[in-house]
Amino acid sequence: MSEESVPQYQHRTVLLDEAVDALALDGERANGIYVDGTFGRGGHSRKILQQLGVSGRLLAFDKDTQAIANAATIDDKRFDIAHDSFATLGEALAVRGIKQVDGVLLDLGISSPQVDDATRGFSFRADGPLDMRMDTTRGLSAAEWLATETEQKIEKVIREYGEERFAFQIAKAIVARRAVEPISSTRQLAEIVARVVKTREKGKDPATRTFQAIRIFINQELEELEVVLNEAYRHLAPHGRLVVISFHSLEDRIVKQFMASKANVPQPDRRLPIRAIDLPQPEMKLLSRIKPSAAEISGNPRARSAVMRVAERLQPTSKAAL
């Protein structure tokens, strides 16, 4: 696909400077190996390449075919992209003969082009086919899933992934509607939800949580996040940075708990005769939690829910390294 044939939608990379700065691309680290887990429209990748040394390497991932087409416009021998989920990080590194990386950046947000392109089916604001797949070449679309799934499973997905208190009523309405006609468009689904959800937070569309829940489920976003966090940690070199930008509480909770599990190691009873060198050692150091500035949110309202967490892999003690 040529660059001209890729639909163009405005996209502003959230926490662009802050995320790349958190990777600490200075000194010898500039010639390290880095991973951009979600290429999107390349904001983070392009900025990393600007600061990367001549012998540095950047591997990016994306499931979206349009993002892959956009990445093809980057002519840089230091850059490589995998058309796959970031959950395949370990396999991708092994294929390239890479054992350790110096930094991993995960931007978990859905990009503006994906939301604004009605043909992708992510948005309840514009009518389009009810697809919602990040990778339209694989898996079931949202319409296909809703056509066959049980009412109980639909309710569970909407309640757990959307944190929607009207999940039971919405699932019941979806099953009743599909018995009359296929639910194949975003407008149909939004209208079904709107008839059931009579109250909602000010400024929020009634369908917001339902669309979020179905998108997360269809793309297995939380499951893939748990996989990539473990893979990223496993391949981080000592002093390597893990930088994660989340956009809703479910993601941020997983990231926070993962980093805390590596940084806060349970200690034995102090009354026991244990040498300091034998005490359990933390494996990561928590560095920062950053939210977008008021100026960034003003210029890009979609950034308002973003939270960036940064942790660093610690150097193993001599005993742990044995």
Side-chain angles (χ1 to χ4, degrees), residues 56-125:
R57 295 176 66 181
L58 173 62
L59 171 61
F61 291 79
D62 212 295
K63 296 192 287 186
D64 192 317
T65 55
Q66 293 182 6
I68 297 300
N70 191 291
T73 66
I74 297 180
D75 182 16
D76 193 319
K77 65 181 182 180
R78 302 171 300 170
F79 176 73
D80 188 12
I81 187 162
H83 179 202
D84 216 331
S85 164
F86 53 36
T88 65
L89 173 63
E91 300 168 30
L93 293 177
V95 166
R96 292 163 175 80
I98 301 171
K99 294 183 178 180
Q100 288 188 323
V101 298
D102 298 283
V104 177
L105 168 58
L106 304 174
D107 180 347
L108 306 179
I110 183 172
S111 71
S112 295
Q114 290 170 324
V115 174
D116 296 336
D117 182 357
T119 66
R120 302 300 303 276
F122 290 112
S123 177
F124 44 77
R125 292 190 173 90

Side-chain angles (χ1 to χ4, degrees), residues 236-251:
L236 273 179
H239 307 300
R241 299 284 183 90
L242 175 60
V243 181
V244 188
I245 304 173
S246 306
F247 287 83
H248 57 75
S249 59
L250 296 175
E251 293 173 337

Side-chain angles (χ1 to χ4, degrees), residues 224-269:
E224 291 188 353
L225 173 58
E226 291 178 344
V227 171
V228 75
L229 289 173
N230 282 287
E231 286 298 307
Y233 169 77
R234 190 162 69 90
H235 290 90
L236 273 179
H239 307 300
R241 299 284 183 90
L242 175 60
V243 181
V244 188
I245 304 173
S246 306
F247 287 83
H248 57 75
S249 59
L250 296 175
E251 293 173 337
D252 185 52
R253 190 177 306 135
I254 290 172
V255 175
K256 178 182 178 180
Q257 291 176 350
F258 175 82
M259 290 183 172
S261 72
K262 300 298 182 184
N264 304 319
V265 181
Q267 297 295 313
D269 191 324

Side-chain angles (χ1 to χ4, degrees), residues 37-284:
T38 310
F39 180 81
R41 290 305 177 264
H44 287 127
S45 281
R46 289 185 171 88
K47 192 167 184 65
I48 291 171
L49 288 170
Q50 289 174 4
Q51 299 185 22
L52 207 58
V54 292
S55 59
R57 295 176 66 181
L58 173 62
L59 171 61
F61 291 79
D62 212 295
K63 296 192 287 186
D64 192 317
T65 55
Q66 293 182 6
I68 297 300
N70 191 291
T73 66
I74 297 180
D75 182 16
D76 193 319
K77 65 181 182 180
R78 302 171 300 170
F79 176 73
D80 188 12
I81 187 162
H83 179 202
D84 216 331
S85 164
F86 53 36
T88 65
L89 173 63
E91 300 168 30
L93 293 177
V95 166
R96 292 163 175 80
I98 301 171
K99 294 183 178 180
Q100 288 188 323
V101 298
D102 298 283
V104 177
L105 168 58
L106 304 174
D107 180 347
L108 306 179
I110 183 172
S111 71
S112 295
Q114 290 170 324
V115 174
D116 296 336
D117 182 357
T119 66
R120 302 300 303 276
F122 290 112
S123 177
F124 44 77
R125 292 190 173 90
D127 194 25
L130 190 59
D131 195 312
M132 294 197 189
R133 290 172 296 170
M134 297 291 187
D135 184 348
T136 55
T137 68
R138 312 174 194 178
L140 289 177
S141 68
E144 292 169 329
W145 178 69
L146 288 176
T148 58
E149 190 54 86
T150 65
E151 180 180 321
Q152 292 74 21
K153 183 59 179 290
I154 294 172
E155 177 193 351
K156 182 179 180 182
V157 166
I158 295 173
R159 182 179 66 253
E160 294 184 359
Y161 292 164
E163 299 177 301
E164 172 59 78
R165 58 194 176 103
F166 296 105
F168 172 77
Q169 294 91 330
I170 294 169
K172 191 174 184 65
I174 287 172
V175 172
R177 180 67 172 271
R178 79 184 186 193
V180 177
E181 63 176 351
I183 303 170
S184 58
S185 75
T186 55
R187 181 168 294 166
Q188 282 177 292
L189 180 58
E191 288 174 351
I192 292 168
V193 177
R195 291 194 185 101
V196 174
V197 180
K198 302 299 183 182
T199 61
R200 181 56 74 221
E201 299 94 327
K202 185 178 180 181
K204 271 200 173 183
D205 188 283
T208 301
R209 292 178 181 273
T210 297
F211 270 67
Q212 171 188 295
I214 295 174
R215 188 204 81 221
I216 290 173
F217 174 79
I218 289 295
N219 294 288
Q220 298 293 286
E221 293 177 30
L222 301 186
E223 293 83 355
E224 291 188 353
L225 173 58
E226 291 178 344
V227 171
V228 75
L229 289 173
N230 282 287
E231 286 298 307
Y233 169 77
R234 190 162 69 90
H235 290 90
L236 273 179
H239 307 300
R241 299 284 183 90
L242 175 60
V243 181
V244 188
I245 304 173
S246 306
F247 287 83
H248 57 75
S249 59
L250 296 175
E251 293 173 337
D252 185 52
R253 190 177 306 135
I254 290 172
V255 175
K256 178 182 178 180
Q257 291 176 350
F258 175 82
M259 290 183 172
S261 72
K262 300 298 182 184
N264 304 319
V265 181
Q267 297 295 313
D269 191 324
R270 293 182 178 179
R271 293 170 295 183
L272 295 175
I274 301 176
R275 298 180 305 166
I277 193 172
D278 293 326
L279 290 172
Q281 300 298 314
E283 299 168 297
M284 298 191 86

